[in-house]
């Protein structure tokens, strides 16, 4: 900028001169600058990053426009040490110089690794990794879904293993991009489509590769799609040493796609072996239960027999018969005793019978029905009946003689 001494210049001229001067300085282009982020703002409307980069003594204002900001793999935060490539330019309107950033990397840590850890911690705090949300896998799935590349080796491995181990299931393939910028959206859409296929289990994954190749499975949208999926999801990304965000969100992590095919369904051989074992166990249980049931039945039959009305009647009949027998025996004994007493009384009576006396040469005289025992009991003219062994004599008293008993003795 040329001007004469004493000539006034405008602010615009000064700012334009500073802009051209800085822009023409090659030392201020293609810089690699390190410092600490401060006053960081992610402008949601425009997508630009605005921040201050500082060190122990000074600071410089910086801006990263949307085109470059979209390429940053991690989430910049205040206090973070970063490495920035860019150039120093003057913002002519405000007369301020600032650092225009082309790229940003964490200082001392890879951007992808940092982004992975940041997203992992965020989703962990949101509860997407909690065990209480993990769904159990079905024992014998009928329809097995796979969200992966149709041309990838992972699909072929899964198909081969399932056809050999578990031909009972139906494999439903939902093709998706598994690498590149459009892969996260494609995987998310594949999971959404899988929800309409009436699947019992879903495998989401791909074969091995670099961290960049597997990065689609570290996407937050993919993580939420897996978390929200009502189907049990197996994450099968890369090799055994590879871990992605999908592994932590899924209901089960498989170290490889082949392992996922083995984990989602049992082998026919193991099913046959288990059925044979169950058949043997069932037979043993049935025999044990039958024997136990037979023993219980016998016990119950014994109790029922003992308590049945027929048995009670039989027992009562036996008791009645015993009592009747005892009664008959008692009656017989009583009759015999009475007969004996009767016989004794009859013998005594017979011995004392007047007829017995008559048979020995005596007679008995009655005056009417009264037995005469003294002459004083009769008067002359009375009719008498004298009993003899072979009959009776009727007579009339003409007189009586009284005998002195002492003289008779």
């Amino acid at each position: 900028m040329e001007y004469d001494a004493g000539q006034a210049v405008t602010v615009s001229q000064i700012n334009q001169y500073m802009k051209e001067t800085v822009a023409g300085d090659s030392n201020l282009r293609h810089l690699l600058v390190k410092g600490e982020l401060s006053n960081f703002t992610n402008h949601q409307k425009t997508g630009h990053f605005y921040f201050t980069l500082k060190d122990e003594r000074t600071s410089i204002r910086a801006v990263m426009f949307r085109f470059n900001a979209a390429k940053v793999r991690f989430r910049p935060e205040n206090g973070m040490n970063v490495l920035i490539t860019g150039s120093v330019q003057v913002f002519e309107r405000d007369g301020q110089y600032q650092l225009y950033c082309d790229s940003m990397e964490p200082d001392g840590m890879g951007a992808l690794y940092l982004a992975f850890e940041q997203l992992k911690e965020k989703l962990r705090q949101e509860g997407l990794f909690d065990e209480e949300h993990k769904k159990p896998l079905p024992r014998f799935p009928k329809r097995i879904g796979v969200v992966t590349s149709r041309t990838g080796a992972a699909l072929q491995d899964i198909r081969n293993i399932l056809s050999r181990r578990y031909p009972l299931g139906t494999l439903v393939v939902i093709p998706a991009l598994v690498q590149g910028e459009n892969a996260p959206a494609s995987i998310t859409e594949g999971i959404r489509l899988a929800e309409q296929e009436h699947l019992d289990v879903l495998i989401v994954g791909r074969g091995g590769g670099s961290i960049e190749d597997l990065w689609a499975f570290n996407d937050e949208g993919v993580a939420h799609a897996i978390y929200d999926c009502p189907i049990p999801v197996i994450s099968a990304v890369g090799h055994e040493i590879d871990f992605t965000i999908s592994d932590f969100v899924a209901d089960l992590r498989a170290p490889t796609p082949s392992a996922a095919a083995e984990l989602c369904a049992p082998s026919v051989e193991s099913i046959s072996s288990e059925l044979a074992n169950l058949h043997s166990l069932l037979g043993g249980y049935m025999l044990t239960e039958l024997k136990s049931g037979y023993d219980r039945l016998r016990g119950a039959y014994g109790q029922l027999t003992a308590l049945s009305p027929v048995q009670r009647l039989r027992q009562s009949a036996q008791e009645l018969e015993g009592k009747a027998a005892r009664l008959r025996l008692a009656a017989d004994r009583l009759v015999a005793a009475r007969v004996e007493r009767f016989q004794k009384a009859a013998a005594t009576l017979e011995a004392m019978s007047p007829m017995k006396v008559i048979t020995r040469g005596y007679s008995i005289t009655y005056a009417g029905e009264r037995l005469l025992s003294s002459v004083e009991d009769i008067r002359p003219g009375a009719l008498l009946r004298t009993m003899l062994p072979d009959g009776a004599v009727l007579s009339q008293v003409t007189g009586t003689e009284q005998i002195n008993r002492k003289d008779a003795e």
Side-chain angles (χ1 to χ4, degrees):
M1 179 180 66
E2 295 183 2
Y3 65 95
D4 297 332
Q7 180 183 357
V9 295
T10 65
V11 174
S12 297
Q13 289 176 319
I14 296 174
N15 287 348
Q16 183 178 8
Y17 175 78
M18 293 301 299
K19 178 180 180 180
E20 294 173 352
T21 301
V22 171
D25 189 344
S26 60
N27 292 324
L28 299 178
R29 295 195 302 270
H30 308 297
L31 297 175
L32 179 61
V33 186
K34 67 177 181 177
E36 178 183 329
L37 294 179
S38 177
N39 300 319
F40 180 84
T41 300
N42 181 357
H43 197 275
Q44 299 295 331
K45 187 174 182 179
T46 63
H48 306 328
F49 291 168
Y50 299 97
F51 55 94
T52 299
L53 194 65
K54 66 179 183 178
D55 56 19
E56 294 82 359
R57 295 186 300 117
T58 60
S59 64
I60 184 174
R61 295 181 64 179
V63 60
M64 176 177 277
F65 294 121
R66 178 180 180 180
F67 176 78
N68 292 322
K71 299 177 183 178
V72 176
R73 297 298 185 92
F74 64 97
R75 185 175 67 253
E77 297 176 349
N78 290 327
M80 185 179 293
N81 293 319
V82 294
L83 291 174
I84 292 177
T85 61
S87 60
V88 175
Q89 300 181 31
V90 173
F91 185 34
E92 186 177 352
R93 189 195 69 182
D94 295 341
Q96 295 180 344
Y97 73 92
Q98 56 187 7
L99 181 62
Y100 288 77
C101 305
D102 298 325
S103 67
M104 181 186 299
E105 296 285 341
D107 186 8
M109 180 183 297
L112 293 181
Y113 178 77
L114 178 59
F116 175 83
E117 290 298 326
Q118 287 177 334
L119 181 58
K120 179 180 173 184
E121 178 61 20
K122 176 185 177 184
L123 297 181
R124 184 191 67 78
Q125 292 182 1
E126 292 177 1
L128 270 67
F129 304 161
D130 292 350
E131 287 296 325
E132 63 188 42
H133 298 300
K134 305 294 184 183
K135 297 179 288 295
L137 269 61
R139 183 73 188 280
F140 302 105
K142 296 180 180 179
R143 291 173 61 81
I144 302 169
V146 181
V147 175
T148 189
S149 171
R150 186 182 290 278
T151 59
L155 178 60
Q156 298 305 318
D157 293 341
I158 293 172
R159 181 178 283 132
N160 292 337
I161 290 174
L162 289 178
S163 63
R164 183 184 74 252
R165 284 172 51 89
Y166 192 70
L168 306 176
T170 300
L171 184 62
V172 179
V173 179
I174 300 97
L177 299 174
V178 295
Q179 183 175 335
E181 183 178 353
N182 298 323
S186 180
I187 296 170
T188 300
E189 179 63 19
I191 296 172
R192 304 293 186 213
L193 292 174
E195 297 175 7
Q196 306 172 16
E197 293 292 337
H198 306 289
L199 303 174
D200 297 303
V201 65
L202 177 64
I203 300 173
V204 178
R206 55 156 292 162
S210 65
I211 186 172
E212 290 83 2
D213 295 337
L214 307 180
W215 195 252
F217 296 91
N218 290 324
D219 182 78
E220 185 172 0
V222 173
H224 279 283
I226 293 175
Y227 180 80
D228 295 334
C229 184
I231 309 166
V233 176
I234 301 176
S235 175
V237 182
H239 301 299
E240 186 170 359
I241 61 173
D242 297 321
F243 279 86
T244 64
I245 296 297
S246 298
D247 296 331
F248 297 104
V249 182
D251 300 297
L252 181 67
R253 179 208 178 236
T256 63
S258 298
E262 296 179 356
L263 290 171
C264 75
S267 66
V268 174
E269 291 79 5
S270 66
I271 296 175
S272 299
S273 176
E274 185 173 354
L275 286 176
N277 292 334
L278 290 175
H279 183 270
S280 177
L281 289 174
L282 182 59
Y285 289 149
M286 288 180 63
L287 290 176
T288 301
E289 287 298 316
L290 285 174
K291 184 179 182 304
S292 176
Y294 179 72
D295 292 340
R296 292 195 302 271
L297 181 61
R298 288 186 59 186
Y301 179 76
Q303 294 178 354
L304 182 61
T305 301
L307 299 174
S308 68
V310 175
Q311 185 64 22
R312 296 287 295 274
L313 286 174
R314 288 176 181 173
Q315 291 178 352
S316 299
Q318 291 176 354
E319 294 175 0
L320 182 61
E321 185 177 352
K323 291 179 179 180
R326 291 195 297 273
L327 183 60
R328 287 194 297 270
L329 180 60
D332 291 344
R333 289 177 179 175
L334 180 61
V335 170
R338 296 294 176 87
V339 169
E340 184 180 359
R341 287 175 60 189
F342 176 77
Q343 289 175 346
K344 288 182 179 181
T348 301
L349 182 60
E350 184 179 1
M352 298 177 62
S353 172
M355 296 304 296
K356 194 72 173 177
V357 176
I358 293 175
T359 58
R360 292 199 301 269
Y362 295 93
S363 64
I364 301 173
T365 301
Y366 292 90
E369 296 298 328
R370 182 168 51 87
L371 178 65
L372 294 179
S373 60
S374 173
V375 295
E376 294 179 353
D377 297 332
I378 193 66
R379 296 288 182 270
L383 296 176
L384 302 178
R385 187 176 75 251
T386 302
M387 300 298 297
L388 298 173
D390 58 351
V393 175
L394 300 177
S395 61
Q396 187 174 20
V397 177
T398 60
T400 62
E401 293 181 357
Q402 192 168 13
I403 298 174
N404 190 334
R405 189 175 297 279
K406 293 182 179 180
D407 294 341
E409 291 177 357

